[in-house]
Amino acid sequence: MDLFVIRGGTPLSGRLPVRGSKNAALPILAASLAAEGETRLANVPALVDVTTLSAVLRTLGVDVHRDADGMLVVRSESNEPCVAEYDLVRKMRASVCVLGPLLGRRGTARVSLPGGCNIGHRPIDLHLRGLASLGADVRLEHGYVVATASSLLGAQIDLAGPQGSTVTGTCNVMTAACFAKGRTVITSAAREPEVVDLAHYLNAGGARISGLGTDVVEIEGTDGFAGVEHQVIPDRIEAATLLIAGLMTGGDVTLENVVPTHLTAVLDILRQMGAFVEIRGATIHVHAAGPLSSVSFVAEPYPGIPTDVQAQLTALLTLARGKAEVVDRVFPDRFLHLPELARMGADVRRAEGGAHVFGVKSLSAAPVMASDLRASAALLLAALSAEGDSILRRVYHLDRGYERLEERLAAVGGQIRRLTEAELSNCRPEELFSDHAPVREPHFAVTSPKSRGSRREQSL
Ligand code: EPZ
């Protein structure tokens, strides 16, 4: 298992390109299994989650490969099998996004219920209720969702849950509704830019979806949609992560290839904390003239502060002046990063429904453990700000959602080495960041049940 050694204390400074959005690419990749003909996706990042979902699609009779230009090319070769097995789905919850496309295009789906998750309870009852409203027969059998529908019928569907709407649930129902007879109206739909990007992909292929970006989405059912070429939007969560990295290290960072309007709530709170934030077209420039001030916040559905940025903002608040209260309305228990931040000297306390953060002057390097994708990002940022060498273990969490992050941060001054435990134990501290220190590729590959024992799928 890879780990990072992070030598903190260097302000990050320079320009950073932002990769394509993981959370837009995954539902679009899933939907493309239902497209008539070939789909070509640009700006899909090379992530473990993309590799995992591609492996799921291959088990569903779908050809997925990257062409010489880096485009992800997808084409359904057959209409079966229609089973997304536990062995792969447990690796990534977003595999559940194949439910709606399978049901719409093939009339049948058998998808493993996603496994547990470190950020909290993650049911899919809203997905299932929405698909049943379209006329599907939906049952749970031995840990699998078994859904069948000889035909789907447009319906009025509300997707409000106790923590707001459901992003992937909206994606599943919206995609299935493209195959339903008549009109479907989804109320309490998720408004996230990633849902809008999926709708753009579907509409480009002939679907008729309106109300994009609002909580009322209407779909005029047709016989599905054709595969098209589509460029995935930039990753707003990665963008927020990189901006916070710049501020936590007292640096000066400019992001390229972002959509600033996808980050309004995050940029607002950074300004409230005292950061300099300048938007020019598709770039965002930030730096901090001095220590930032604490500002309390609530993570909530778009257009609010994203829950996927909550851990990173909490890390930033550990170095701000004063006290802040953090609440996460989407995943109320998404605070596994707190004890690890405390190991680095942060003064953070779990509180009813959230956390209290008391700013300290600086953090101190320490060995810490990643628990989930965004918590690992928060710990990386904290380590980059702390004097000394920190060790971040279980970076496989990070590889799920950030493409070669250590290399990109190194390009703006970050000192991060990717090692195995054995390499670490054989490496003297003075060698860690010497010029001849070898750079190691992130190593991830996913074997799908079919390919086990033969070719291991390479990262996509
Ligand atoms: C998507 O997950 C994202 N993942 C998550 O990003 C993100 O945190 C989340 O939306 C919220 O914005 C992808 O897009 C691949 P939800 P999703 O359904 O769709 C409850 C990351 O770090 N709920 O919008 O699974 C649920 O428990 C990941 O990139 C139900 O009650 O999240 C949660 O409290 C983590 N019933 C809330 O709704 C349901 O049927 C929002 O969940 C579905 C969800």
Side-chain angles (χ1 to χ4, degrees):
M1 251 194 264
D2 288 357
L3 57 84
F4 280 171
V5 177
I6 303 122
R7 181 158 294 175
T10 308
L12 301 182
S13 177
R15 301 178 74 86
L16 275 168
V18 171
R19 294 284 194 271
S21 164
K22 166 179 84 81
N23 290 349
L26 294 175
I28 291 170
L29 183 53
S32 66
L33 78 84
E36 192 63 46
E38 183 175 275
T39 290
R40 295 167 53 78
L41 300 176
N43 205 30
V44 176
L47 304 172
V48 170
D49 278 6
V50 170
T51 301
T52 302
L53 185 57
S54 301
V56 172
L57 293 184
R58 285 197 194 94
T59 65
L60 299 171
V62 180
D63 176 58
V64 190
H65 66 275
R66 275 206 198 256
D67 70 9
D69 302 323
M71 300 284 275
L72 206 58
V73 183
V74 189
R75 175 186 286 275
S76 258
E77 306 282 280
S78 74
N79 270 342
E80 53 188 18
C82 296
V83 181
E85 295 181 18
Y86 175 67
D87 182 40
L88 280 171
V89 174
R90 68 181 173 81
K91 290 190 172 81
M92 184 190 61
R93 169 189 171 72
S95 310
V96 78
C97 286
V98 302
L99 250 180
L102 280 175
L103 198 58
R105 166 65 65 189
R106 303 183 186 179
T108 180
R110 183 180 166 79
V111 178
S112 167
L113 282 167
C117 182
N118 280 335
I119 63 176
H121 181 40
R122 300 185 73 181
I124 60 168
D125 57 310
L126 297 171
H127 298 234
L128 305 185
R129 197 170 79 201
L131 297 174
S133 302
L134 291 171
D137 173 58
V138 180
R139 276 172 286 121
L140 295 184
E141 282 177 8
H142 311 300
Y144 279 75
V145 175
V146 180
T148 53
S150 51
S151 70
L152 296 173
L153 208 53
Q156 174 88 24
I157 300 170
D158 189 78
L159 287 180
Q163 277 81 32
S165 185
T166 163
V167 172
T168 49
T170 302
C171 294
N172 259 329
V173 174
M174 188 168 70
T175 306
C178 294
F179 296 87
K181 289 186 181 59
R183 169 177 298 187
T184 295
V185 178
I186 304 175
T187 52
S188 309
R191 302 169 53 189
E192 275 66 6
E194 294 78 23
V195 176
V196 174
D197 202 30
L198 170 63
H200 285 152
Y201 162 75
L202 297 172
N203 280 348
R208 291 161 56 194
I209 303 170
S210 58
L212 308 194
T214 75
D215 60 358
V216 181
V217 172
E218 296 195 14
I219 305 102
E220 286 299 336
T222 58
D223 56 359
F225 49 90
V228 294
E229 183 158 319
H230 178 81
Q231 168 139 339
V232 170
I233 56 171
D235 193 319
R236 63 190 170 104
I237 307 303
E238 173 176 281
T241 305
L242 296 174
L243 291 175
I244 294 169
L247 293 172
M248 280 197 77
T249 58
D252 185 314
V253 161
T254 298
L255 300 189
E256 298 169 331
N257 182 33
V258 290
V259 179
T261 52
H262 289 170
L263 282 159
T264 303
V266 172
L267 300 182
D268 284 352
I269 191 170
L270 295 182
R271 286 194 180 99
Q272 288 171 49
M273 293 175 73
F276 168 84
V277 178
E278 181 183 48
I279 296 171
R280 283 174 183 261
T283 70
I284 303 175
H285 174 207
V286 293
H287 65 78
L292 298 174
S293 306
S294 297
V295 175
S296 296
F297 74 92
V298 177
E300 48 194 2
Y302 192 83
I305 292 177
T307 175
D308 294 347
V309 179
Q310 181 261 104
Q312 301 92 308
L313 273 176
T314 300
L316 179 62
L317 286 168
T318 67
L319 293 173
R321 278 181 312 200
K323 172 193 172 188
E325 295 185 5
V326 177
V327 171
D328 193 321
R329 285 236 178 85
V330 181
F331 293 112
D333 297 327
R334 192 175 195 172
F335 289 96
L336 287 181
H337 44 285
L338 294 186
E340 296 304 295
L341 288 171
R343 287 175 47 70
M344 301 180 80
D347 185 356
V348 288
R349 316 216 182 121
R350 194 70 170 86
E352 178 59 34
H356 292 168
V357 186
F358 302 85
V360 295
K361 198 164 167 19
S362 64
L363 297 177
S364 58
V368 288
M369 189 83 76
S371 55
D372 62 82
L373 169 55
R374 306 305 176 180
S376 45
L379 294 174
L380 174 58
L381 271 44
L384 283 168
S385 79
E387 288 295 335
D389 290 357
S390 297
I391 297 174
L392 174 60
R393 289 187 163 83
R394 298 186 182 172
V395 294
Y396 61 82
H397 288 293
L398 211 64
D399 292 332
R400 290 193 48 191
Y402 294 97
E403 181 184 337
R404 297 169 179 268
L405 189 57
E406 74 271 25
E407 288 172 30
R408 294 194 283 144
L409 289 173
V412 289
Q415 289 193 295
I416 308 169
R417 278 291 310 283
R418 177 186 289 265
L419 298 168
T420 61
E421 289 288 355
E423 288 166 337
L424 176 64
S425 53
N426 295 331
C427 192
R428 291 197 304 274
E430 60 273 18
E431 287 173 329
L432 275 171
F433 294 95
S434 63
D435 291 345
H436 61 267
V439 174
R440 210 151 68 64
E441 292 279 303
H443 173 73
F444 53 80
V446 175
T447 56
S448 62
K450 279 230 169 84
S451 68
R452 185 171 292 119
S454 59
R455 180 176 62 82
R456 282 173 67 88
E457 261 77 31
Q458 291 312 308
S459 58
L460 276 165

